[in-house]
Amino acid sequence: MLFTAGGVHAAAELPQIKTSNGRHALFVDNKPYLILGIQTNNSTNYAAALKDVWPVAKLTQANTLSIPIAWEQIEPKEDHFDFSFVDYLIKDARRNNIRLILLWFATWKNNAPHYAPGWVKLDDKRFPRVVKPNGESLNSLSPLHSTTLEADKKAFRRLMAHLKKVDKKRTVIMVQVENEVGTYGAARDYSPTAEKRFQQAVPNELVTALNLPPGKWREVFGAAADESFHAYHIAKYCDAIAAASKAIYPLPMNVNVALRNPFNPGKPGQYASGGPTDNMLPIWKAAAPNIDLLSPDIYFRDYKTVSKVLELYSRPDNPLFVSEIGNDQPYARYFFATMGKQGIGFVPFGMDYTGYTNYPLGAPSYTPEAFQPFAEIYGLMAPWAHVWAALSFEKPTWGFAEPVDTQGQARKIWNAQASPEGTQPSPEDIQERAKNYTQRADMGLWDVEVTYGRPMFWTDPPKGNPVASGGALVAKLGDNQFLVTALHARVDIKPSEELKGQRSMHLRVEEGHFDSRGNWVFERVWNGDQTDWGLNFDAKHHLLKITMATY
Ligand code: DGJ
């Protein structure tokens, strides 16, 4: 704790996002912080429900809880504010030694204003809804009306002012503006007010930022004009809320994304039109500079699509933060892939015992067993998350998630390729099959190879784990020194092209851990069986510092 000279408590440093050389970190208490997050179910934002949250936080060793704060909850009557839940939550979080990300469920909660107060939802004149081309209105508020923006902004500003007053310890480290903004059922608002705006020129700031010639929306954006118009106005709306609130209390702010499928997107309105989907990122970045992060909510299960999403949302101008991901077993390993893209955090959704599952998006049950895959990974990371966050900010790092997808699929692929009964697959066959379960990266003088589904001993080829669960992390500490951890995987460090022809060895493989100040504490040396067949990891947690050499 910090004290001023007079012995009076000073406030802790404000959390902030820092970017340097295209790498990002979230700083909390002035140190890099890795969000090992869990998000509650949607209706867990009441004091009575919190008792069903903390046991999951404890089980998983999460350090951060994402939880809604509903507009209807803090301003049930216009201009009458009630922060009793916020106060209770902050105290309870501190008792449970966990930080908070507050999710502002307001104008948009997945397209609709469900969490807006009744006095908003029932007043279509003052707070108009999006109108379809046929004149029908949708249950999605239009971003074009200052009445709506001003009302939402007022409530959010009051929330931030309250946090500033009560949260000197910075238990709340980030605030999410709205929840999965955008509209289903139409690309944009087609009301007469909207039509008038649509026929005007695209605002100068936007064409300039995107380096496009001036003109009306259709002229500038062609077939993407309707969606671009909606995205620009929702982005401006969120930015206005963020800017006005940061003027009071500048916490990092994110907007989470109801993703479109990057390979098979469909039409705007089939997915949430106007949200920061991958095609709208340039517009959002130009129109919402006060939003620090556009963060994907991932409910695709397959490796290929998840990898693409992670790539799309980790950019020099956008730190990767997985603000939601399904809480079923196959999603857990994407933690490692997220870290491989310098992710600042990872948050499985629906992590409480309040009695709800969003299967088939997430897990089919809400039991400790269902949440165990996340506990396994967070348990590995919790003791040194601060060290990884600093390494990710400062050093080259890699992360790998097992690439073959669903339960048992790895074995099925292997078996489908099996040779006729009684014959042995040729060495070439085996090598070919092994490629499915092998990942490599060039780390300079050395390459790293990660393989899945092989015994710890001997050279058996990788066949994939029976359940896709493997992952690995590597940080480069020096030309010949690496920090490695993994689960359900074999990691081999091999000479790269640059060392071709030279013989190599593990000079020293130290197992150890980091103390709370980030100092390495030596435990033992791995040698013999533990290094002869690569570095083999099952569910047991190991952290290795490896020095390679040639001779
Ligand atoms: C994504 C939303 O952001 C969450 O609040 C939740 O509704 C899930 N979809 C589905 O459970």
Side-chain angles (χ1 to χ4, degrees):
M1 176 138 341
L2 297 170
F3 293 92
T4 61
V8 181
H9 287 260
E13 289 276 341
L14 270 176
Q16 58 171 310
I17 303 281
K18 291 191 185 178
T19 297
S20 161
N21 300 323
R23 302 176 82 87
H24 312 285
L26 168 64
F27 275 65
V28 172
D29 297 339
N30 218 11
K31 293 188 295 272
Y33 181 88
L34 176 64
I35 298 169
L36 300 174
I38 54 172
Q39 184 170 152
T40 66
N41 279 294
N42 282 168
S43 311
T44 306
N45 54 320
Y46 290 86
L50 291 181
K51 66 176 186 323
D52 292 318
V53 174
W54 307 127
V56 182
K58 197 163 172 209
L59 171 87
T60 55
Q61 298 189 49
N63 60 14
T64 309
L65 177 73
S66 295
I67 184 163
I69 299 295
W71 186 4
E72 66 179 355
Q73 177 175 35
I74 68 156
E75 197 185 5
K77 270 174 65 188
E78 190 166 8
D79 280 326
H80 289 75
F81 290 91
D82 173 359
F83 292 108
S84 51
F85 173 64
V86 176
D87 293 341
Y88 185 90
L89 172 67
I90 290 175
K91 283 203 186 104
D92 227 13
R94 285 181 189 158
R95 270 195 291 273
N96 286 279
N97 199 19
I98 197 163
R99 304 284 179 142
L100 295 169
I101 297 176
L102 302 185
L103 315 173
W104 177 233
F105 281 19
T107 299
W108 291 275
K109 191 309 182 177
N110 306 56
N111 149 87
H114 292 308
Y115 284 80
W119 57 267
V120 173
K121 287 190 282 200
L122 297 175
D123 191 346
D124 209 22
K125 284 228 152 45
R126 191 171 156 207
F127 308 110
R129 288 176 160 78
V130 164
V131 174
K132 295 209 293 187
N134 67 5
E136 222 176 87
S137 88
L138 289 167
N139 192 16
S140 185
L141 296 182
S142 170
L144 298 173
H145 299 274
S146 59
T147 39
T148 320
L149 172 61
E150 290 309 318
D152 183 323
K153 194 164 79 184
K154 179 165 55 169
F156 191 71
R157 276 167 60 93
R158 288 292 289 262
L159 172 63
M160 297 307 289
H162 189 77
L163 290 182
K164 182 181 180 180
K165 194 172 82 194
V166 301
D167 191 25
K168 300 278 190 267
K169 290 186 181 162
R170 318 304 184 203
T171 296
V172 178
I173 58 170
M174 198 187 310
V175 183
Q176 180 180 289
V177 179
E178 311 293 339
N179 191 83
E180 292 199 348
V181 296
T183 297
Y184 291 102
R188 65 171 172 92
D189 186 2
Y190 293 85
S191 65
T193 312
E195 277 309 301
K196 218 167 127 195
R197 302 273 289 271
F198 188 72
Q199 293 313 330
Q200 290 166 4
V202 176
N204 219 5
E205 61 158 19
L206 187 59
V207 281
T208 308
L210 300 183
N211 206 7
L212 291 168
K216 294 182 183 180
W217 286 90
R218 186 68 67 207
E219 291 160 0
V220 175
F221 291 101
D226 302 285
E227 184 183 10
S228 303
F229 175 82
H230 205 40
Y232 174 75
H233 285 105
I234 298 180
K236 290 296 282 183
Y237 190 108
C238 293
D239 194 64
I241 291 174
S245 312
K246 282 185 167 180
I248 298 173
Y249 188 46
L251 283 184
M253 293 191 187
N254 72 306
V255 165
N256 63 332
V257 190
L259 297 168
R260 61 179 207 156
N261 186 317
F263 299 116
N264 182 19
K267 294 203 172 84
Q270 290 170 335
Y271 59 85
S273 182
T277 46
D278 63 88
N279 54 330
M280 292 292 119
L281 286 176
I283 291 183
W284 268 83
K285 283 292 169 189
N290 289 287
I291 300 295
D292 302 280
L293 313 154
L294 301 172
S295 53
D297 291 353
I298 301 180
Y299 292 94
F300 303 112
R301 286 172 176 250
D302 67 290
Y303 178 82
K304 185 177 160 214
T305 313
V306 174
S307 304
K308 185 71 191 168
V309 168
L310 297 179
E311 186 191 313
L312 288 166
Y313 286 86
S314 72
R315 311 174 7 146
D317 63 354
N318 194 60
L320 176 63
F321 169 46
V322 176
S323 45
E324 285 179 38
I325 190 161
N327 64 355
D328 206 358
Q329 181 277 328
Y331 297 102
R333 72 196 201 274
Y334 297 127
F335 169 83
F336 296 99
T338 302
M339 295 303 106
K341 294 273 174 208
Q342 276 83 59
I344 63 156
F346 188 82
V347 186
F349 174 88
M351 300 292 281
D352 64 41
Y353 295 140
T354 55
Y356 192 82
T357 91
N358 67 355
Y359 179 81
L361 293 185
S365 64
Y366 49 89
T367 57
E369 293 71 36
F371 301 151
Q372 188 53 37
F374 299 92
E376 185 177 78
I377 295 172
Y378 286 5
L380 170 68
M381 299 305 295
W384 63 293
H386 58 298
V387 177
W388 177 264
L391 289 171
S392 171
F393 191 41
E394 289 159 14
K395 305 263 185 204
T397 50
W398 292 265
F400 305 89
E402 185 165 356
V404 178
D405 289 308
T406 49
Q407 305 194 0
Q409 195 185 335
R411 298 285 156 165
K412 271 192 225 141
I413 291 178
W414 184 267
N415 291 338
Q417 291 173 334
S419 322
E421 230 177 303
T423 62
Q424 290 297 318
S426 67
E428 293 75 33
D429 273 356
I430 290 179
Q431 258 188 10
E432 201 45 43
R433 291 175 204 181
K435 281 188 194 156
N436 293 321
Y437 316 101
T438 303
Q439 293 157 323
R440 266 186 107 106
D442 179 350
M443 307 193 296
L445 295 179
W446 304 91
D447 287 354
V448 59
E449 183 186 270
V450 184
T451 50
Y452 304 93
R454 48 202 321 195
M456 289 184 158
F457 190 83
W458 211 244
T459 59
D460 291 29
K463 296 184 178 180
N465 287 302
V467 169
S469 53
L473 296 180
V474 186
K476 183 172 171 179
L477 306 177
D479 282 349
N480 300 305
Q481 199 173 56
F482 304 93
L483 187 73
V484 173
T485 192
L487 289 171
H488 311 289
R490 176 181 290 187
V491 179
D492 284 285
I493 311 269
K494 299 183 161 181
S496 75
E497 277 295 307
E498 285 172 68
L499 296 179
K500 211 173 170 188
Q502 299 192 45
R503 289 190 296 170
S504 68
M505 64 170 162
H506 297 112
L507 184 59
R508 189 172 167 89
V509 178
E510 282 189 13
E511 177 164 10
H513 64 268
F514 289 100
D515 68 16
S516 57
R517 283 202 232 118
N519 299 313
W520 178 249
V521 181
F522 167 81
E523 290 170 11
R524 62 169 175 156
V525 170
W526 279 24
N527 206 338
D529 285 352
Q530 280 63 53
T531 55
D532 289 345
W533 315 106
L535 308 165
N536 288 280
F537 298 81
D538 63 0
K540 195 165 162 62
H541 296 159
H542 302 286
L543 201 50
L544 304 178
K545 196 193 256 186
I546 299 159
T547 308
M548 299 299 296
T550 52
Y551 63 100

